[in-house]
Amino acid sequence: MNRKHTNMLNTGSPSPGSASALDLAQQRLRFADAHPRQARSIRSVAISLLALGVAFGACAQTPQTEPAPDPDSDVLEDVVIDVPAETPPAAAVPAAATPAPPEQGTDATVDFDDVEIDVGPGMQDLAGDTPQDQTAAGETPADPASEGPLSATGEANPTANATEGDRPLAAWLDPLRISLKHEISYKFASPQRVVNNRSSVRLEYSKPLTSNLYLRLDTKLNLHWTNDHRAKAKDESPFRELVTREAYLQSSFGNTSFRLGYQILPWGVSEGGAITDEVSPRNNAEFFFISLEESRVGQPMLAMDHFGNSGQWSAFFVPRPGYNKYPDRGSEYDIPGAFDRNAPDDDWDNAGTYEFGARWKRTFGKSDISLMAARLIDNDYLVRQQRFSMYGLTANIAIDNLLLRAEVALKQPRAFFATPAGGSGLTVVESDQFDSSFGFDYSPGGRTLVYSAEVVWSRLLDWNGDIVGREQDEYSLVGAVTNRFFNDDLTLSWLTIYSRPYTSIRHRFLSSYLIDDNSTVYFELFYPDERDDRSGTWPYRDQKQFVIRYQYQF
């Protein structure tokens, strides 16, 4: 039985804040003026965000070119930036028409609050006016001894600077982001019941430790309450689960950066299928009801990115591969006998399971192209532990308000279950596989309305009629429409996926409403329409659900 977990099915809801980086920086600066005691602690963050917002706005208004860097300059020496997840070019759709970003910390977009910039000694002039600048402008340089918050009598507080220097704990906790969430889902098709009833605490921490060393941590504690289907399957109340998606250190040397630790590496541009996105394992524990922030599984990895005249070069090495996560035995999405095999427990020193690969990416104005090759272990271990090679190409082409997306990949070989003629039981056969997708995103000029469509095609090149669970060719058509209302506080999306030859139609409605800068409520509706009992998703034909989530983030 062949089960695929698609990116598009896990399209997340918008992040709690929709304000631009520039607006956010200006708000923090105004807050600093009104509250001088906190001004010094947030001054550097506000200035950095303001600079980032201005730079982003300028890039969105002017054609992008790729200047050749000075080979003798270390442009990354003083800047430590967390490398964002794979996304189509931001300039492909106008800022006013781009769909709201997925919820915080997802793989699809970059939240500007997550971008950490460490200003080194060579870039201090960006942080504010120097005394020389003030003198040239006719201003009197401030006396360092008089800087700091005022006392209750209106006089300068002589101990303010000492107090600022005695707050190392506050400085370390400042980059910490905490998200509190509760979720309830209800299955309204017979038999009706509560499926999910869970709470979670998510910690995200991104901080430069030195001018050349950066720390990233993303971990989440899930609490599944008594009537949650996973708590029932585990016979625990509450069932506690700690999931760490990312925990790594990053360092840069000149134009090259390295990341070491548990990471997620998304590849590809398709929103309807895993074409070249084969590096990071998937979380299939809850079919397509899994939220985007939990849709990928981290694994130990050494990754490298080099920015040169010829483009961006990336490489990775995985010493101990991770595998897809499947439903718990006895849970809502378990299929008896389908997920009984345990994931391989590989040794760190087993060179036969090492994964590695490389990618070259080049940007041309608002468009880009990527070539990649990798040697991988199939994340789907249910057939067997299978090593294969992957060669792929992706492209984004922006034309005014239209973004065209294309992706192809050759995978040699893949393993499949088969039933030989006249024989009993299952055997394993191999076949090379060719996957491709072609799609577009279109937004009418100056509007928040976005139309998306994509066709996904998968073909087995060494077809064997004994293969179980799929045909030689499989197709999927993906259509979606997204719009925002009330100053972008309300986001509504509709998604439909039509699959052949085993006919399956899946509908998903997504909505989110930003109550304030910290609180967001989500409503989602899932309606599968399975029409062929040979389909791998046939057992989930009655999983018609709606989901309500509330998130508070600070």
Side-chain angles (χ1 to χ4, degrees):
M1 187 179 304
N2 186 39
R3 282 167 291 274
K4 293 187 178 293
H5 183 74
T6 66
N7 296 334
M8 194 66 176
L9 285 174
N10 285 314
T11 302
S13 301
S15 62
S18 60
S20 68
L22 179 58
D23 293 338
L24 184 58
Q26 292 172 339
Q27 291 171 12
R28 291 183 175 177
L29 288 173
R30 289 196 296 268
F31 178 85
D33 292 336
H35 300 78
R37 295 185 62 88
Q38 289 84 5
R40 294 175 58 86
S41 63
I42 66 174
R43 184 180 302 163
S44 62
V45 175
I47 294 173
S48 299
L49 286 175
L50 179 59
L52 181 61
V54 172
F56 182 84
C59 292
Q61 297 297 326
T62 60
Q64 300 299 305
T65 59
E66 188 175 23
D70 184 353
D72 297 326
S73 64
D74 292 337
V75 297
L76 298 183
E77 194 66 33
D78 295 319
V79 182
V80 180
I81 301 178
D82 184 19
V83 177
E86 184 74 15
T87 58
V93 180
T98 305
E103 60 183 286
Q104 170 62 34
T106 66
D107 301 310
T109 55
V110 179
D111 189 304
F112 286 104
D113 288 340
D114 283 342
V115 179
E116 299 289 342
I117 302 180
D118 182 28
V119 181
M123 303 179 68
Q124 290 298 328
D125 289 345
L126 296 178
D129 293 336
T130 63
Q132 292 82 354
D133 297 330
Q134 295 174 354
T135 303
E139 301 176 356
T140 302
D143 182 1
S146 65
E147 293 184 354
L150 298 178
S151 65
T153 61
E155 299 178 355
N157 186 350
T159 62
N161 290 337
T163 302
E164 290 292 333
D166 293 339
R167 298 176 60 238
L169 180 59
W172 276 91
L173 293 180
D174 184 63
L176 178 64
R177 173 168 299 180
I178 300 177
S179 302
L180 307 178
K181 182 182 292 186
H182 187 76
E183 171 185 318
I184 293 178
S185 70
Y186 184 78
K187 179 175 174 291
F188 56 87
S190 181
Q192 301 174 350
R193 56 176 171 264
V194 172
V195 179
N196 291 356
N197 183 17
R198 60 190 61 170
S199 304
S200 65
V201 180
R202 182 181 183 185
L203 304 181
E204 296 173 87
Y205 189 80
S206 303
K207 180 177 177 60
L209 303 180
T210 68
S211 62
N212 203 34
L213 188 63
Y214 169 84
L215 171 66
R216 165 70 176 168
L217 175 65
D218 183 356
T219 188
K220 184 177 182 181
L221 175 64
N222 294 312
L223 298 175
H224 304 261
W225 304 108
T226 302
N227 55 349
D228 186 277
H229 76 101
R230 295 197 63 195
K232 294 178 181 178
K234 297 290 187 179
D235 196 21
E236 297 181 28
S237 180
F239 167 55
R240 294 175 293 273
E241 181 184 43
L242 182 64
V243 179
T244 299
R245 299 174 72 247
E246 292 188 307
Y248 64 81
L249 292 172
Q250 176 179 326
S251 185
S252 59
F253 304 92
N255 295 334
T256 305
S257 68
F258 295 90
R259 301 186 306 277
L260 177 63
Y262 273 79
Q263 304 173 55
I264 291 172
L265 184 63
W267 273 5
V269 299
S270 173
E271 296 181 345
I275 311 301
T276 62
D277 191 12
E278 294 278 5
V279 180
S280 293
R282 301 289 179 136
N283 185 350
N284 295 331
E286 294 181 318
F287 192 33
F288 60 75
F289 301 99
I290 200 76
S291 62
L292 181 62
E293 67 185 49
E294 297 179 342
S295 63
R296 286 185 174 92
V297 178
Q299 57 186 346
M301 182 185 304
L302 172 63
M304 180 276 291
D305 291 285
H306 175 75
F307 303 86
N309 295 333
S310 60
Q312 177 184 348
W313 295 87
S314 303
F316 72 89
F317 171 73
V318 178
R320 190 171 186 265
Y323 296 92
N324 290 345
K325 183 177 180 181
Y326 291 106
D328 298 325
R329 293 179 179 86
S331 67
E332 182 76 16
Y333 308 101
D334 183 30
I335 301 174
F339 309 109
D340 290 345
R341 184 173 181 178
N342 294 324
D345 186 12
D346 300 317
D347 296 327
W348 288 87
D349 58 351
N350 183 4
T353 59
Y354 290 168
E355 295 183 318
F356 48 88
R359 181 183 68 172
W360 169 79
K361 181 177 181 179
R362 183 69 183 269
T363 300
F364 304 91
K366 298 180 181 180
S367 304
D368 64 72
I369 187 172
S370 298
L371 298 175
M372 58 200 71
R375 187 73 170 154
L376 304 169
I377 300 293
D378 197 336
N379 295 322
D380 184 357
Y381 61 86
L382 293 177
V383 178
R384 71 179 182 191
Q385 191 178 38
Q386 176 73 27
R387 176 174 283 281
F388 70 99
S389 299
M390 183 190 72
Y391 309 95
L393 178 149
T394 67
N396 288 295
I397 302 174
I399 306 173
D400 295 329
N401 298 323
L402 178 67
L403 173 65
L404 302 176
R405 296 178 275 107
E407 184 172 5
V408 296
L410 175 64
K411 304 165 187 179
Q412 303 175 305
R414 304 303 291 267
F416 302 91
F417 283 124
T419 54
S424 60
L426 294 175
T427 61
V428 177
V429 299
E430 294 182 349
S431 174
D432 293 347
Q433 181 173 325
F434 178 79
D435 294 338
S436 63
S437 70
F438 302 91
F440 71 86
D441 299 312
Y442 174 71
S443 175
R447 300 177 59 185
T448 58
L449 180 65
V450 179
Y451 300 98
S452 301
E454 184 174 73
V455 56
V456 181
W457 173 44
S458 176
R459 181 180 179 86
L460 298 186
L461 302 181
D462 306 305
W463 172 245
N464 186 328
D466 297 331
I467 292 178
V468 176
R470 69 160 291 165
E471 300 296 330
Q472 182 175 11
D473 295 290
E474 289 188 342
Y475 306 89
S476 292
L477 298 177
V478 183
V481 57
T482 300
N483 206 350
R484 302 199 303 269
F485 307 90
F486 306 126
N487 296 321
D488 296 344
D489 288 342
L490 175 65
T491 301
L492 303 178
S493 300
W494 182 270
L495 166 72
T496 295
I497 297 181
Y498 174 79
S499 300
R500 293 277 296 171
Y502 304 145
T503 304
S504 171
I505 306 174
R506 281 159 281 173
H507 305 283
R508 184 174 184 178
F509 171 74
L510 306 168
S511 66
S512 69
Y513 182 72
L514 183 68
I515 300 174
D516 54 40
D517 289 343
N518 302 100
S519 303
T520 307
V521 62
Y522 305 90
F523 177 81
E524 301 178 4
L525 177 68
F526 304 87
Y527 195 94
D529 183 8
E530 303 293 334
R531 302 184 179 183
D532 194 321
D533 59 7
R534 296 173 297 173
S535 169
T537 54
W538 173 258
Y540 305 120
R541 60 193 179 278
D542 65 343
Q543 289 296 339
K544 301 173 175 63
Q545 298 183 22
F546 67 81
V547 182
I548 299 176
R549 297 187 181 99
Y550 173 78
Q551 177 177 276
Y552 183 81
Q553 188 176 76
F554 59 95

